[in-house]
C-alpha cells in the first residue's frame, strides 16, 4: 500500500502544506524547537542505555 510513500512530489506537497499551516515566519522557530527536542530525546536514550549496562 505505501511502497512509494515518500516520492519527491509527496514531499513537495507536504512542504507546501506545512508552510501554509505554520506560516513562513514561525517555521524557523518550529524547526529549532523540533531539533532541540530530537537532541534531548537522543541524549535521554543514550543515558538510559548506559544505565542498563552493568
Amino acid at each position: 500500500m505505501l511502497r512509494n510513500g515518500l516520492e519527491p512530489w509527496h514531499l513537495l506537497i507536504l512542504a507546501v502544506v506545512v508552510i501554509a499551516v505554520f506560516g513562513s515566519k514561525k517555521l524557523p522557530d518550529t524547526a529549532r524547537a523540533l531539533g532541540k527536542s530530537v537532541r534531548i530525546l537522543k541524549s535521554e536514550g543514550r543515558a538510559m542505555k548506559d544505565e542498563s549496562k552493568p
Side-chain angles (χ1 to χ4, degrees):
M1 182 174 168
L2 292 174
R3 291 177 68 186
N4 296 327
L6 291 176
E7 291 184 9
W9 66 275
H10 288 130
L11 296 175
L12 180 65
I13 292 172
L14 181 64
V16 169
V17 169
V18 167
I19 290 172
V21 170
F22 290 110
S24 61
K25 292 186 179 190
K26 288 187 179 180
L27 203 55
D29 293 333
T30 305
R32 242 181 255 114
L34 181 63
K36 186 176 180 181
S37 298
V38 169
R39 283 192 298 272
I40 291 171
L41 182 65
K42 284 182 179 180
S43 68
E44 291 295 325
R46 278 189 223 115
M48 289 177 65
K49 187 176 177 182
D50 291 342
E51 284 179 3
S52 67
K53 291 184 179 179

